[in-house]
Amino acid sequence: MIYLNQAGYAPNSTKRATITGNNHYNLFSADGKKILSGECTLEFDENSGENAAVIDFSEVTEEGRYFFADEDNFRSPEFVISKNHYDQALRDSMKMFYFQRCGMELEEKYAGVYKRKACHCGGGYILGDRFQRRKMLGGWHDAGDYGRYVTAGAVALAHLLYGYEMFPGALTLNLNIPESGGSLPDILAECKYELDWILDMQDEDGGVHHKCTSASFCGFIMPDEDDLDMVITPVSSLATADFVAIMALASRIYHKFDEPYSNTLAAAARKSWTWLIKNPSFIFENPKEVTTGTYEDLCDADERFWAAAEMYRLDKNEDAMKVILGTMELHLSMHCLGWADVAGLGTLSIINSGTDFFGKDLYNRLVMKWLDEADRLKLISQSNAFGITLRPIEFTWGSNMVILMNAMILCVAHKLTGDDSYLKSAQYQLDYIFGRNAMDLSYVTGIGERAFKHPHLRPTAADNIDAPIPGFVSGGPNFRPCDEAANPDNMSDVPAMKRYADDVRSYSTNEITIYWNSPLVFVLGYMNSL
């Protein structure tokens, strides 16, 4: 077997594939002409459980279509070598957010065959008081269900908006959405759809409610068929801090396009920052009446750090600087970019501000921490035949998210240093996502000859269309699967990289979510910016 990036490779990039079970390979052009032959020395790869080796075919630079074959006549998927090989993947992964929109009709001229009616237009009630309702219109469905969560949404927005801040040209694409051709670039118009919903989750005193979902998950029906009432759960410091950070960040990004809107976002950030300062110790637990996704986290120090970084960039707020300096003594992981651990987003904000805004000492300390993590990831990437930044035990729920966030760390390290070894390791993470893995699958719907087809996603399961909506990232292999399709008893002897089921029932390996797509957009955007 030969596993490779089914989305393709840039002409002058490092090009790698992985061969298993056979040590001889041939590379052919699509018309059958042999381009390259070679032999490899196989070694046991713990992640895949196979004897494997790396094929490096960087010497092949001519644009065109190719495929590999081994001595057992196994033929790989076809792939391209092209300067534009990631264009479709980037556009589709960006448009994924449009397909997750709640509260509006997806018209055929924008959604094609995936058109659907407006959903969840009845608002929601505050938990404990059914007579206190809010409009709750808009935002993105978080994942394969129809819930909307502030913490998850803020992190997805952060990946997109920091990407836009760092390399705006690469993310300024026409996505064919209703706002296309307007005053905002399409990616910012899409983000605004989520920001406007999150604004409605803020109370008058600045506290922000954690989530808006039904009390329990609905069945596998289209969103407009879901008539369960929406519940707005209590305020949390996690949601409030993430709210502060994303509103302050967005106010900076939108200022040159829409100053009044930017001012609205900034004012909302300031109000919630005041709430955070007044509530220094606050723990959130999912209410027992609501059994949808929890997004619980008993430590909010990292959320407060991210909020403080963005508030200092907004106002040079002295209370924010105190929080930042205090957090630096807590020994948090200052590079984490996920919903549970967001300190890396605060670090990214400080790094992006330059050497002088926060002071050179703080800037240099955080750059050093970031590069230390990038070096660690690079060493892991160089130690296995698939070039990935995970060890077997690290294939957690949403392992593809971890892979992509690691790629973000490596991309930023490359931007900071110009060291191409970081860029190569980041590219290997994309190789894995697009098919250089032991499942021989592209984990992005519609991209690659062997893309996964059955995401745990209600509209895809209920729309009676064979092909899934393109551009969605699968959660990926899970060392501890816990659903009927990826039954843990059946997977107990399966290597970590193969603990996966392309099955709509497999919520623990094959669900989708907005914050698994957003790091893919960031990484693809960075690659295209080069």
Side-chain angles (χ1 to χ4, degrees):
M1 298 284 284
I2 299 175
Y3 309 111
L4 49 81
N5 185 330
Q6 297 173 32
Y9 303 81
N12 295 315
S13 68
T14 298
K15 305 175 193 67
R16 288 190 166 184
T18 299
I19 186 170
T20 63
N22 197 308
N23 70 341
H24 188 89
Y25 64 87
N26 297 301
L27 176 65
F28 298 90
S29 58
D31 61 7
K33 179 182 177 183
K34 185 182 291 188
I35 305 298
L36 196 66
S37 292
E39 290 189 355
C40 300
T41 301
L42 304 181
E43 296 182 0
F44 182 72
D45 178 81
E46 190 176 10
N47 285 322
S48 65
E50 299 190 31
N51 292 319
V54 174
I55 300 172
D56 191 317
F57 58 107
S58 303
E59 64 191 86
V60 182
T61 60
E62 184 175 348
E63 295 197 20
R65 298 194 66 83
Y66 299 85
F67 67 90
F68 276 98
D70 64 21
E71 289 296 281
D72 295 325
N73 294 318
F74 167 80
R75 176 171 168 153
S76 77
E78 282 195 9
F79 64 94
V80 297
I81 294 178
S82 169
K83 289 181 289 187
N84 303 316
H85 66 111
Y86 280 147
D87 285 5
Q88 191 63 48
L90 177 57
R91 185 170 284 103
D92 287 352
S93 60
M94 290 171 70
K95 188 158 182 177
M96 174 267 194
F97 298 93
Y98 168 76
F99 286 110
Q100 289 294 94
R101 286 192 186 190
C102 182
M104 70 172 291
E105 178 186 2
L106 303 191
E107 300 177 61
E108 185 173 3
K109 60 183 174 180
Y110 307 115
V113 297
Y114 305 106
K115 62 184 179 180
R116 58 173 170 82
K117 299 175 184 177
C119 62
H120 306 104
C121 298
Y125 67 90
I126 303 294
L127 186 66
D129 184 357
R130 283 186 171 272
F131 296 101
Q132 187 180 349
R133 300 188 68 88
R134 294 187 180 176
K135 63 178 183 178
M136 285 293 106
L137 195 63
W140 298 323
H141 297 144
D142 172 59
D145 61 279
Y146 299 135
R148 288 165 288 169
Y149 305 79
V150 171
T151 53
V155 167
L157 285 167
H159 298 151
L160 300 175
L161 293 178
Y162 282 128
Y164 185 84
E165 181 176 56
M166 295 171 67
F167 37 87
L171 297 184
T172 308
L173 304 179
N174 185 319
L175 300 178
N176 185 33
I177 58 177
E179 298 83 0
S180 294
S183 60
L184 291 172
D186 283 8
I187 187 63
L188 296 188
E190 190 58 63
C191 288
K192 186 176 184 297
Y193 196 81
E194 176 78 349
L195 286 164
D196 288 347
W197 168 73
I198 293 178
L199 280 169
D200 202 28
M201 294 289 277
Q202 184 187 46
D203 277 347
E204 282 299 318
D205 68 353
V208 178
H209 293 266
H210 200 74
K211 64 179 182 177
C212 177
T213 74
S214 48
S216 58
F217 292 121
C218 70
F220 276 74
I221 56 178
M222 293 299 288
D224 59 283
E225 297 170 350
D226 177 18
D227 58 3
L228 297 174
D229 209 356
M230 292 289 113
V231 185
I232 303 167
T233 62
V235 165
S236 77
S237 57
L238 307 169
T240 305
D242 286 349
F243 179 98
V244 170
I246 203 60
M247 293 300 160
L249 164 59
S251 72
R252 184 170 69 250
I253 300 296
Y254 286 83
H255 187 267
K256 75 173 185 177
F257 299 102
D258 187 342
E259 187 172 348
Y261 184 63
S262 170
N263 292 339
T264 296
L265 300 174
R270 293 183 182 109
K271 181 187 287 187
S272 290
W273 176 254
T274 299
W275 185 96
L276 280 178
I277 295 299
K278 290 179 178 177
N279 294 273
S281 179
F282 195 96
I283 294 177
F284 171 80
E285 293 183 9
N286 199 47
K288 64 179 183 298
E289 304 96 324
V290 182
T291 59
T292 52
T294 60
Y295 289 101
E296 287 183 331
D297 184 358
L298 298 182
C299 173
D300 66 5
D302 50 315
E303 284 83 7
R304 290 175 183 268
F305 172 73
W306 180 29
E310 282 298 339
M311 281 305 297
Y312 194 79
R313 288 188 77 175
L314 180 66
D315 289 333
K316 286 206 169 182
N317 184 293
E318 289 304 317
D319 284 334
M321 181 55 74
K322 292 177 184 177
V323 171
I324 291 168
L325 295 178
T327 305
M328 292 295 291
E329 305 308 315
L330 297 179
H331 305 291
L332 298 177
S333 295
M334 303 305 291
H335 50 266
C336 293
L337 303 167
W339 68 264
D341 299 297
V342 299
L345 297 173
T347 298
L348 195 55
S349 178
I350 293 169
I351 288 174
N352 284 349
S353 70
T355 56
D356 297 328
F357 193 89
F358 285 86
K360 290 184 179 180
D361 179 63
L362 179 61
Y363 174 89
N364 289 333
R365 285 175 69 189
L366 289 173
V367 167
M368 185 178 300
K369 288 177 180 291
W370 194 280
L371 294 180
D372 283 347
E373 176 63 9
D375 287 337
R376 185 188 75 85
L377 295 173
K378 185 171 64 173
L379 285 174
I380 297 172
S381 173
Q382 293 168 347
S383 70
N384 63 82
F386 291 85
I388 60 169
T389 50
L390 298 183
R391 297 185 175 96
I393 197 67
E394 295 172 311
F395 280 83
T396 60
W397 193 315
S399 62
N400 285 344
M401 171 196 71
V402 181
I403 288 277
L404 289 166
M405 290 181 183
N406 288 348
M408 285 180 65
I409 293 169
L410 291 160
C411 286
V412 174
H414 175 256
K415 185 174 178 64
L416 286 168
T417 65
D419 184 340
D420 281 347
S421 66
Y422 294 125
L423 185 65
K424 290 177 182 178
S425 289
Q427 177 62 62
Y428 301 156
Q429 309 319 298
L430 288 180
D431 290 349
Y432 172 88
I433 293 295
F434 289 116
R436 189 184 164 197
N437 56 69
M439 297 304 298
D440 196 27
L441 286 175
S442 167
Y443 285 120
V444 184
T445 52
I447 302 298
E449 185 179 315
R450 298 174 187 165
F452 87 106
K453 296 180 179 179
H454 307 289
H456 180 84
L457 173 64
R458 279 160 176 76
T460 293
D463 63 11
N464 294 316
I465 300 170
D466 287 340
I469 306 168
F472 282 68
V473 178
S474 169
N478 184 348
F479 192 75
R480 297 181 181 86
C482 58
D483 57 67
E484 61 177 322
N487 189 299
D489 292 334
N490 296 338
M491 296 244 177
S492 59
D493 295 326
V494 176
M497 198 188 290
K498 296 179 180 178
R499 295 190 183 191
Y500 168 82
D502 184 12
D503 190 309
V504 69
R505 300 169 299 163
S506 186
Y507 53 84
S508 66
T509 75
N510 209 34
E511 191 167 13
I512 60 85
T513 188
I514 51 176
Y515 55 85
W516 297 345
N517 257 71
S518 52
L520 176 62
V521 171
F522 183 103
V523 178
L524 287 175
Y526 186 72
M527 295 296 174
N528 275 15
S529 74
L530 302 177

